[in-house]
Amino acid sequence: EDIELGCPTGAVVLSMGDDGATRRITPEELKRLCKEQRLFSTASLNEKLYLHYRGYSRIEGLGAWTGLRALWLEGNGFGAIEGLEAQQDLRCLYLHQNCIKRIEHLDCCPKLATLQLSDNMITSLSNLSGLSRLSTLQLAHNKLESADDLRHLLMCPSISVLDLQNNLLDDPAVVDILEGLPQLAVLQLQGNPVVTKIKDYRRTLISRCKSLTYLDDRPVFAEERLAVEAWSIGGLPAERAERRRQREEKEDAHRRNLQYMKELATRALPLATSAAIAPPSAAQSPALAPAVDSEVSYERALHALEARRKQLLAAGC
């Protein structure tokens, strides 16, 4: 029997046991999964574990799995982050598509670099300051609304990839928070009401987030950043002047390359013409000498063979 739990992007289906209870992560269950996933029977030797889409309602039973570096827990019915005290070497944690409302109990995973919490019910960020190595944080499809909900990000300066798309963010002050992330390189903010409230949205984000290399649906190339920097100083006329300068610079480079190719062709033409007119010499035609030598050798061999035949005939007589 299955039940459904309502979550922000749909329902999470939980598999029910024969007694009507939801499934639990028991030692017997983990032993069965070890065989199914071809893992080591000694739990501490395993670096990864897949517990996704199993219908579990609670994170538990992982005390012996001390060597885990990647743990997949998405698509269950977890309402809280817990039971990870033994995962001190964990690098990647995937908890998307659950029913989590609060970020907590992650201080026991100081080496965590990737945290996937999309498709949950999180309303504000907290308890991330102890994750000094956190570089990727995915929070798409949650219930974040204001700049205050994101303010805790300022305690995580190591974040370089941030996914906030399809939340409820409508406060332009979120730009101040994002500007305070010195290593932010990839940002997903599309699908939030705030996008239409920020004047010159793309230009503003690029100009204020100095390390940004990818925004929403396309990368931020060096040419665009130079144009945006000009815009931030002198407005639209300065941006147009910068784009004109870039275009002229590319055209000049193209002309220089074309001129160089023409000069190469001009220098090579006399050499090709003289090579075609001059008669081939013995030194220029080494292939002829072996042919002559082979004919002489063949004639000599025939004469020697004929002389030997005559000797044999004379001896027989």
Side-chain angles (χ1 to χ4, degrees):
E1 182 182 356
D2 293 341
I3 62 172
E4 292 185 354
L5 292 181
C7 280
T9 58
V12 175
V13 179
L14 301 183
S15 298
M16 301 287 289
D18 293 336
D19 57 354
T22 56
R23 294 174 63 179
R24 297 187 60 182
I25 307 175
T26 62
E28 294 76 15
E29 177 78 356
L30 290 171
K31 184 176 180 180
R32 183 183 66 81
L33 290 175
C34 280
K35 293 182 179 179
E36 180 182 308
Q37 299 175 21
R38 298 182 180 180
L39 303 177
F40 295 112
S41 57
T42 302
S44 60
L45 297 179
N46 295 291
E47 294 187 350
K48 59 184 179 180
L49 179 62
Y50 299 94
L51 298 176
H52 55 306
Y53 301 108
R54 299 280 179 176
Y56 304 128
S57 59
R58 183 180 179 185
I59 305 171
E60 59 184 340
L62 300 177
W65 295 72
T66 56
L68 286 180
R69 298 199 174 198
L71 178 59
W72 283 264
L73 294 169
E74 71 268 25
N76 286 284
F78 302 131
I81 302 174
E82 58 186 342
L84 300 174
E85 292 78 11
Q87 281 64 58
Q88 297 185 9
D89 286 333
L90 197 65
R91 267 69 165 179
C92 303
L93 178 60
Y94 302 96
L95 276 165
H96 47 298
Q97 297 180 6
N98 280 287
C99 299
I100 297 169
K101 298 181 179 180
R102 177 180 170 82
I103 302 174
E104 58 188 345
H105 302 143
L106 289 176
D107 290 339
C108 53
C109 307
K111 298 180 181 179
L112 197 64
T114 298
L115 179 58
Q116 168 60 284
L117 285 166
S118 298
D119 297 294
N120 276 285
M121 306 171 70
I122 298 170
T123 57
S124 65
L125 305 186
S126 59
N127 301 311
L128 293 173
S129 57
L131 305 179
S132 60
R133 302 186 185 183
L134 186 64
S135 60
T136 299
L137 179 59
Q138 295 170 286
L139 291 161
H141 295 280
N142 275 280
K143 295 186 176 182
L144 303 169
E145 297 183 6
S146 67
D148 288 336
D149 296 341
L150 300 181
R151 196 166 302 280
H152 187 67
L153 286 174
L154 298 175
M155 305 298 292
C156 309
S158 60
I159 290 178
S160 60
V161 178
L162 181 61
D163 186 359
L164 295 171
Q165 60 185 323
N166 296 307
N167 273 272
L168 304 174
L169 295 168
D170 63 353
D171 185 359
V174 299
V175 179
D176 299 330
I177 306 297
L178 300 174
E179 185 181 13
L181 300 176
Q183 299 185 40
L184 184 61
V186 178
L187 173 63
Q188 299 282 349
L189 197 58
Q190 59 191 354
N192 286 282
V194 72
V195 171
T196 59
K197 294 184 178 182
I198 300 173
K199 186 178 180 181
D200 297 308
Y201 164 74
R202 186 171 177 86
R203 292 188 183 97
T204 299
L205 265 297
I206 293 174
S207 65
R208 296 185 62 177
C209 300
K210 303 301 183 182
S211 300
L212 207 60
T213 59
Y214 205 103
L215 176 59
D216 291 335
D217 57 346
R218 64 183 187 272
V220 179
F221 293 112
E223 293 84 356
E224 183 180 12
R225 177 162 291 282
L226 288 172
V228 168
E229 293 295 339
W231 169 83
S232 65
I233 296 172
L236 194 57
E239 179 185 353
R240 289 173 178 169
E242 171 60 24
R243 292 191 182 277
R244 189 183 310 113
R245 184 197 65 79
Q246 294 177 14
R247 186 167 56 253
E248 292 173 353
E249 186 177 282
K250 289 181 179 179
E251 291 174 353
D252 289 342
H254 179 70
R255 281 194 294 268
R256 288 195 300 269
N257 292 336
L258 186 60
Q259 182 63 30
Y260 179 69
M261 293 299 295
K262 287 181 178 179
E263 292 175 358
L264 287 179
T266 302
R267 289 198 297 267
L269 184 59
L271 297 176
T273 304
S274 61
I277 295 174
S281 62
Q284 293 173 334
S285 306
L288 297 178
V292 174
D293 292 342
S294 62
E295 291 179 3
V296 173
S297 300
Y298 181 68
E299 292 293 334
R300 289 177 180 175
L302 285 179
H303 288 305
L305 184 60
E306 183 63 22
R308 180 60 177 165
R309 188 180 68 82
K310 289 180 179 179
Q311 289 179 3
L312 291 174
L313 290 174
C317 296

